[in-house]
DNA sequence: TGTACATCAGTGAACGCGCGTTCACTGATGTAC
DNA sequence: TGTACATCAGTGAACGCGCGTTCACTGATGTAC
């Protein structure tokens, strides 16, 4: 599909108009289709309907484009988590479950972003703001963990940072092993979402939060 | 480094002798160095000191070689887990912790194998025995989980399969986020091993296995 | 409102490079007798 | 123990391909006056 150069719509010919955005969309399409490894600068240019030299006006090289995609991914990811957490409303434990679901939902809904963020091997400081965006996303989980920890009596309170790392790792593990359309993925007796929810419930109970919000479900 | 062709040692000249093995070692070196994406058939041949056509005598293509590496990785992985589990000796909970540590130890000690197994995007049925080897490795965790579940009273016993999936996912999440030399890895306030151990302890407590074997440590 | 001009964002041709793959070939090895 | 022969496991040259990158260029856009 070409996104420019058609004189038919009479809008643009020589100048693309918004090549930067078009390249990012192309990168997402290609990553989603062939994985982060099978995405080339030339391919993105072709898909955006411009010559192979044009992208250099907007990105230093392939990796810079990839890093920009990853940054945007983390921004959207953080936003999705933040909305799900919703400042702990209506109730911290319920909001916490919602955040976990939002994690998997993002991995499922945006596999290309997810791959760029976690599987492309991009250095976190290769792009200004990338580390920041990643930290912001993780920060949501961290704040949520702090709120959950605050529910516990002071003497049995675990470090919130540790808790957030556990949840981050479990979510990512489930997402990358089971929630993606990879060729290597395994069959499950339950949905990834249910698996995560069950895991988090057991974990929370282990912390002393007996029951959990939806312990009766399923 | 060339592994053949030197007349100096007087052993082999025209025939390599064990090219298949040499290619696999080369693949591991290259994957370890540049990631699963940055490994090419030609590179492996060069590293093994043979012409670029030679590998075709042993592998259909690059992916076949990669799949063979992954299979061997899963075999070693399964073996390492099995030895750590050691049939639940000296005590199931302790053996279970050992198995978790062995998981991370493998990811750390054999990053190239780990990458081929989990990050190369190899289809599990692209090579005979690959899925089998992967299933065997997971099977260790599954059996271990069954033994742990058996410690619980029948009425509060969770599905062992689910438990093993949780542990597999948490271990893999920690390994791929924190235990690898990736450019994108994050800083931690504790070692990945400690993080996993703490996570599993909380999880086990959530199942009703109060304390756990090493609850007093750290 | 026009016009001159600077700047921007593309083109397209060209280049070197390394990869994957095929091919006829040949040296080395193993085996039947 | 020798010898003839089949088979195996390499060579090296060749090819097409697509990628990354550079370059002088040019059409389009914006702005100062």
């Amino acid at each position: 599909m070409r996104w420019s150069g058609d004189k038919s719509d009479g809008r643009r010919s020589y100048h693309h108009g918004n090549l930067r955005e078009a390249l990012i969309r192309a990168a997402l399409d290609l990553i989603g289709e062939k994985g982060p490894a099978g995405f080339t600068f030339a391919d993105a240019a072709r898909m955006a309907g411009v010559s192979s030299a044009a992208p250099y006006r907007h990105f230093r090289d392939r990796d810079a484009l990839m890093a920009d995609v990853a940054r945007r991914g983390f921004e959207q990811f953080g936003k999705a988590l933040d909305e799900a957490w919703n400042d702990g409303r209506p109730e911290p434990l319920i909001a916490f479950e919602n955040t976990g679901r939002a994690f998997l939902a993002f991995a499922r809904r945006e596999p290309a972003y997810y791959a760029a963020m976690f599987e492309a091997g991009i250095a976190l400081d290769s792009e200004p703001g990338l580390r920041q965006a990643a930290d912001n996303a993780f920060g949501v989980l961290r704040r949520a963990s702090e709120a959950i920890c605050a529910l516990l009596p002071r003497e049995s309170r675990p470090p919130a940072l540790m808790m957030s790392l556990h949840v981050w790792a479990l979510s990512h593990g489930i997402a990358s092993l089971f929630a993606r359309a990879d060729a290597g993925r395994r069959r499950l007796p339950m949905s990834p979402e249910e698996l995560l929810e069950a895991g988090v419930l057991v974990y929370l109970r282990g912390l002393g939060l007996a029951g959990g919000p939806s312990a009766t479900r399923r």
Side-chain angles (χ1 to χ4, degrees), chain A residues 147-162:
Chain A
I148 297 294
C149 286
L151 299 179
L152 289 164
R154 188 174 299 275
E155 64 277 10
S156 67
R157 208 174 275 176
L161 173 57
M162 187 192 77

Side-chain angles (χ1 to χ4, degrees), chain A residues 2-217:
Chain A
R2 308 183 77 238
W3 288 336
S4 83
D6 353 300
K7 302 270 182 184
S8 53
D9 66 8
R11 281 200 302 111
R12 54 198 181 202
S13 53
Y14 196 94
H15 279 190
H16 182 285
N18 205 355
L19 182 53
R20 191 180 177 94
E21 295 302 315
L23 287 171
I24 285 170
R25 264 182 301 164
L28 283 171
D29 280 6
L30 289 166
I31 294 169
E33 195 181 327
K34 304 189 278 184
F39 142 73
T40 68
F41 223 32
D43 235 347
R46 198 172 307 122
M47 196 167 213
V50 295
S51 77
S52 64
Y56 290 88
R57 297 285 172 202
H58 298 276
F59 298 99
R60 202 185 58 258
D61 56 18
R62 193 202 99 112
D63 275 5
L65 171 49
M66 184 72 91
D68 200 58
V69 171
R71 183 182 52 74
R72 286 162 181 251
F74 274 116
E75 282 166 3
Q76 293 192 26
F77 187 52
K79 207 170 144 220
L81 293 181
D82 197 52
E83 282 169 8
W85 170 239
N86 193 21
D87 276 322
R89 283 182 297 251
E91 196 216 318
L93 288 172
I94 289 177
F96 200 69
E97 296 286 354
N98 288 341
T99 309
R101 262 190 295 274
F103 193 120
L104 290 189
F106 184 87
R108 212 192 260 283
R109 178 168 33 95
E110 302 284 2
Y113 270 126
Y114 200 84
M117 290 152 62
F118 291 109
E119 288 153 33
I122 294 290
L124 277 182
D125 25 40
S126 67
E127 147 115 4
L130 175 53
R131 182 179 296 275
Q132 182 62 44
D135 286 352
N136 280 349
F138 176 69
V140 176
L141 226 54
R142 171 122 202 223
R143 283 197 310 281
S145 297
E146 272 157 11
I148 297 294
C149 286
L151 299 179
L152 289 164
R154 188 174 299 275
E155 64 277 10
S156 67
R157 208 174 275 176
L161 173 57
M162 187 192 77
M163 176 181 169
S164 56
L165 289 170
H166 283 149
V167 174
W168 184 262
L170 181 62
S171 305
H172 174 65
I174 290 177
S176 72
L177 288 175
F178 311 120
R180 318 275 314 294
D182 272 316
R185 95 153 179 276
R186 287 158 175 70
R187 299 238 179 289
L188 276 190
M190 61 213 300
S191 77
E193 284 79 4
E194 290 168 325
L195 185 64
L196 176 61
E197 180 170 344
V200 170
L201 282 178
V202 172
Y203 182 87
L204 291 177
R205 206 175 312 135
L207 290 180
L209 291 158
S214 31
T216 53
R217 286 187 48 210

